[in-house]
Amino acid sequence: DAGVIQSPRHEVTEMGQEVTLRCKPISGHDYLFWYRQTMMRGLELLIYFNNNVPIDDSGMPEDRFSAKMPNASFSTLKIQPSEPRDSAVYFCASRSWTGPTDTQYFGPGTRLTVL
Amino acid sequence: AQSVTQLDSHVSVSEGTPVLLRCNYSSSYSPSLFWYVQHPNKGLQLLLKYTSAATLVKGINGFEAEFKKSETSFHLTKPSAHMSDAAEYFCVVSDMGGYNKLIFGAGTRLAVHP
């Protein structure tokens, strides 16, 4: 099992540019989560999907952020236009529905730096 | 509302001595509780989880945690620290009311000295 795969692992871009982060969940998992980790705010849930459908996007900071899940094996988080305050580590996680305490499996994260 | 408070932002121990990382939670429902570990530049790995079957939960790498409802605590312990335990540890709550969401504590950075 390859685990959750994220790409790129590191991204450096300039303010105003579009950034796309990618995630491949564990095969068979029907939930996918996007988190952001910063020193100031810690780990925050941005959005999650169930069976490719966005369920709760209340954590998405603003309209510059968008997420899609076109199929069960791929999701993107897009920031357009990017700003320096978007610099953070973005994690993707997935899980299957096996009960109320089932585990989320995290990817290695994408470290985004916006100059 | 659900929340977790990790009482120490940094903990420093000597190799071979016990580890105690403290966590208090607040939940309107019967909580599910987790400890995750994050090694530098790595993703988060589940150490252990409380499933209500037993109050003392054993996890990987010799860690364990005890659920104490009367104290609303879920402290993480290990009898003897190893250098490889140096990492950041997150206490996490998820409850029956919204168990799709994990709510993370601020984290405790554990340093292990030789």
Side-chain angles (χ1 to χ4, degrees):
Chain A
D1 189 345
V4 176
I5 299 172
Q6 291 187 247
S7 64
R9 293 292 310 276
H10 302 273
E11 176 80 35
V12 180
T13 191
E14 293 188 346
M15 182 174 62
Q17 296 299 305
E18 177 179 296
V19 176
T20 300
L21 312 181
R22 298 173 175 79
C23 175
K24 177 179 170 56
I26 293 172
S27 177
H29 283 192
D30 49 6
Y31 284 83
L32 184 138
F33 306 80
W34 282 101
Y35 292 86
R36 179 172 67 175
Q37 184 180 36
T38 62
M39 291 292 292
M40 291 298 294
R41 300 176 66 89
L43 269 154
E44 305 172 279
L45 177 67
L46 300 178
I47 185 171
Y48 79 90
F49 296 82
N50 178 215
N51 292 322
N52 313 336
V53 176
I55 303 300
D56 185 349
D57 65 354
S58 60
M60 297 285 263
E62 46 195 281
D63 292 345
R64 298 184 298 104
F65 286 70
S66 62
K68 294 182 179 179
M69 192 165 186
N71 57 62
S73 60
F74 183 65
S75 176
T76 59
L77 179 67
K78 186 177 292 186
I79 308 172
Q80 167 63 22
S82 58
E83 297 182 2
R85 60 192 168 121
D86 302 330
S87 297
V89 181
Y90 291 81
F91 288 102
C92 176
S94 71
R95 78 171 205 204
S96 63
W97 178 252
T98 57
T101 60
D102 48 346
T103 303
Q104 291 187 21
Y105 295 88
F106 285 78
T110 295
R111 183 174 296 276
L112 173 65
T113 303
V114 183
L115 303 175
Chain B
Q2 303 76 42
S3 66
V4 286
T5 302
Q6 293 184 242
L7 301 173
D8 306 292
S9 58
H10 291 84
V11 170
S12 181
V13 301
S14 298
E15 190 175 21
T17 64
V19 176
L20 170 64
L21 305 183
R22 298 182 295 165
C23 173
N24 287 117
Y25 70 90
S26 173
S27 177
S28 304
Y29 304 90
S30 297
S32 298
L33 292 159
F34 309 79
W35 277 98
Y36 279 83
V37 61
Q38 183 180 26
H39 290 277
N41 300 314
K42 301 286 188 183
L44 291 98
Q45 180 185 19
L46 180 70
L47 273 180
L48 51 80
K49 61 183 179 183
Y50 168 69
T51 61
S52 76
T55 56
L56 184 62
V57 183
K58 293 187 184 298
I60 62 172
N61 301 333
F63 284 94
E64 62 182 35
E66 186 170 8
F67 173 73
K68 292 187 176 180
K69 186 175 181 179
S70 61
E71 299 177 9
T72 62
S73 69
F74 190 58
H75 301 334
L76 182 70
T77 60
K78 183 174 181 178
S80 176
H82 191 274
M83 296 296 289
S84 61
D85 295 328
E88 185 138 22
Y89 292 79
F90 294 93
C91 182
V92 183
V93 67
S94 170
D95 63 54
M96 294 296 289
Y99 45 76
N100 283 319
K101 293 187 177 184
L102 298 183
I103 299 166
F104 285 78
T108 298
R109 185 165 297 278
L110 175 65
V112 182
H113 302 287

